[in-house]
Amino acid sequence: MNLKQRKLVTIVAEAALEPRLIRDITALGAKGYTISPAHGAGPRNQRNGDLEGGNIRIEIVVNNDVMTKVLELLETNYFPHYACSCWVSAVEVLRDERY
Amino acid sequence: MNLKQRKLVTIVAEAALEPRLIRDITALGAKGYTISPAHGAGPRNQRNGDLEGGNIRIEIVVNNDVMTKVLELLETNYFPHYACSCWVSAVEVLRDERY
Amino acid sequence: MNLKQRKLVTIVAEAALEPRLIRDITALGAKGYTISPAHGAGPRNQRNGDLEGGNIRIEIVVNNDVMTKVLELLETNYFPHYACSCWVSAVEVLRDERY
């Protein structure tokens, strides 16, 4: 079984940001994404996503290069302006040409 | 890019436990959480969450100390009484003061 | 705290495949599963799951042996025929007899 290393980037943000996040992430090289509905709270104790359509949880599986670009994007254009959470983990995939 | 190590703790439980789990986890030091709707089955082949409001999938990103406290809490107060699943993985974050 | 190593296998597929995937995965040895609703797009830019009931995101926590069998199943019976995404990560669990 020939597994290849990738990074899973999980982003939680308000649902209204979905079209913009998808456009930005795709432009940086992510070849796909998975979105689940979510709600929650962040460190300032905001209960985000309980109003106005909830939160979304976006997952992308990407190489290190795209991961770095996505994190730089979040740091520059999202974290200063929006309640937004992000974490990265190591994953393995079978069909590396897809990620 | 300055990434910091944290632990992602994922807990799956019946939705009715959400307020209690959030209160307990927050009291132990988790600064935020993300909740998604879920359904599923466990090793005793119960199909949990198909009745009574479904299951929830709670994610928290925490340091090792908070992770240990949360796992001890689950082991003592939840696992013996409720259908509940939990796994931990290593993740990286940009803004470590938030987690 | 005595944590044991397992693998988390995440599969994203169209919701119509849920009964078949659950039957196949359970037959290969997975003792439980968690399913969340999802939507998204893959590398051929299909927006899967926006019609016909959406996508599902299935998570199973399994040992290496079951992981290998599940990946072989996907490679043989699902990837050639369906839009389907899958990634694997290392996780730790407390009660290894359940996974």
Side-chain angles (χ1 to χ4, degrees), chain A residues 39 41 47 57 84-85 88, chain B residues 18 33 35 59 92 95 99:
Chain A
H39 67 279
R47 282 190 62 88
R57 184 179 174 285
C84 189
S85 189
V88 177
Chain B
E18 178 177 329
Y33 57 89
I35 299 183
E59 292 173 296
E92 295 181 302
R95 302 167 295 168
Y99 300 100

Side-chain angles (χ1 to χ4, degrees), chain B:
Chain B
M1 183 136 301
N2 188 11
L3 291 168
K4 303 290 173 55
Q5 311 298 312
R6 287 292 183 276
K7 290 290 167 64
L8 171 65
V9 182
T10 303
I11 303 164
V12 180
E14 53 188 284
L17 289 173
E18 178 177 329
R20 184 176 153 193
L21 270 165
I22 294 308
R23 191 180 58 233
D24 285 352
I25 287 168
T26 306
L28 293 176
K31 297 179 187 170
Y33 57 89
T34 299
I35 299 183
S36 304
H39 67 280
R44 290 171 226 143
N45 210 22
Q46 330 96 310
R47 284 191 61 88
N48 303 310
D50 287 347
L51 302 173
E52 299 170 38
N55 285 349
I56 49 166
R57 185 180 174 285
I58 305 180
E59 292 173 296
I60 54 173
V61 175
V62 294
N63 60 33
N64 280 322
D65 180 48
V66 175
M67 177 202 73
T68 301
K69 288 177 183 166
V70 168
L71 294 182
E72 286 169 352
L73 167 84
L74 294 174
E75 208 163 28
T76 307
N77 291 351
Y78 288 87
F79 291 164
H81 309 299
Y82 306 105
C84 188
S85 188
C86 177
W87 57 87
V88 176
S89 61
V91 295
E92 295 181 302
V93 298
L94 273 174
R95 302 167 295 168
D96 60 325
E97 75 283 1
R98 290 173 60 95
Y99 300 100

Side-chain angles (χ1 to χ4, degrees), chain C residues 24-80:
Chain C
D24 285 352
I25 287 168
T26 305
L28 293 177
K31 297 179 189 170
Y33 57 89
T34 300
I35 299 183
S36 305
H39 67 280
R44 293 173 225 139
N45 210 23
Q46 331 94 307
R47 282 190 62 88
N48 303 312
D50 288 348
L51 303 172
E52 299 169 39
N55 286 349
I56 49 166
R57 185 180 174 283
I58 304 180
E59 292 173 297
I60 54 172
V61 175
V62 294
N63 62 32
N64 280 322
D65 180 47
V66 175
M67 176 201 75
T68 301
K69 289 177 183 165
V70 168
L71 294 182
E72 286 170 351
L73 167 84
L74 294 173
E75 207 163 29
T76 307
N77 291 350
Y78 288 87
F79 290 165

